[in-house]
Amino acid sequence: MKAKIIITPKKAVLDPQGQTVERALAHMGYQGVGKVHVGKYLEIEVEGDKATLEKQLDEACHKFLSNPVIEDYKLEIVD
Amino acid sequence: MKAKIIITPKKAVLDPQGQTVERALAHMGYQGVGKVHVGKYLEIEVEGDKATLEKQLDEACHKFLSNPVIEDYKLEIVD
């Protein structure tokens, strides 16, 4: 099984990396491109009971993989 | 519409960030956790024709959002 975790800055938080990509895309002439948000992606190979893993990884996300003050995360476990 | 882009290091490429997270998870006592891969996640607000956007963004991914020598990317456009 694989756990996929997407960590993004909260909408209210300044995202300088996203702004830079946004400006670069506009500068390169790409049309129809709006706001850009840049986050992190984690793929973790896991083994065991899905419910237990979900609980454990959710705790890990909250405690040290993300910063809950400025970031949101989305955890998904797939076979 | 939103374009979601996931950029991950190729399997053969050293991923020190992933190794660090892997060791940290093991050190904190999480069970059943294997290899960790750390990548980037981009969310881009887009507007226009889906096929055109897909072509444009695929080109942008290849040219400057990712480094095709050491990274893989996955592009998805959702409504």
Side-chain angles (χ1 to χ4, degrees), chain A residues 32 34-35 37 39 41 43 45 47, chain B residues 32 34-35 37 39 41 43 45:
Chain A
K35 285 255 161 297
H37 302 280
Y41 173 75
E43 206 174 86
E45 283 171 27
E47 242 171 71
Chain B
K35 285 257 162 295
H37 302 280
Y41 174 74
E43 206 174 84
E45 285 171 25

Side-chain angles (χ1 to χ4, degrees), chain B residues 24-39:
Chain B
L25 283 169
H27 188 74
M28 288 177 86
Y30 291 103
Q31 307 274 312
V33 172
K35 285 257 162 295
V36 179
H37 302 280
V38 178

Side-chain angles (χ1 to χ4, degrees), chain A residues 10-30:
Chain A
K10 283 188 200 282
K11 298 284 173 208
V13 172
L14 214 61
D15 179 3
Q17 223 185 332
Q19 286 173 358
T20 304
V21 174
E22 198 179 319
R23 274 198 297 265
L25 283 169
H27 187 74
M28 289 176 84
Y30 290 103

Side-chain angles (χ1 to χ4, degrees), chain A residues 12 29 31 35-36 41 58 62 66:
Chain A
Q31 306 274 313
K35 285 255 161 297
V36 179
Y41 173 75
D58 193 67
H62 196 80
S66 80

Side-chain angles (χ1 to χ4, degrees), chain A residues 25 29-36, chain B residues 1-3 43-54 56-57 77-79:
Chain A
L25 283 169
Y30 290 103
Q31 306 274 313
V33 171
K35 285 255 161 297
V36 179
Chain B
M1 285 191 293
K2 266 183 192 174
E43 206 174 84
I44 307 178
E45 285 171 25
V46 288
E47 242 170 69
D49 176 55
K50 200 166 169 175
T52 314
L53 282 169
E54 200 148 1
Q56 276 196 336
L57 286 172
I77 298 183
V78 292
D79 292 315

Side-chain angles (χ1 to χ4, degrees), chain A residues 3-6 53-55 57-59 61 73-77:
Chain A
K4 296 179 178 190
I5 301 164
I6 288 174
L53 282 169
E54 201 147 0
K55 210 178 133 211
L57 285 173
D58 193 67
E59 190 196 284
C61 280
Y73 65 86
K74 212 173 71 190
L75 167 66
E76 191 192 7
I77 299 182

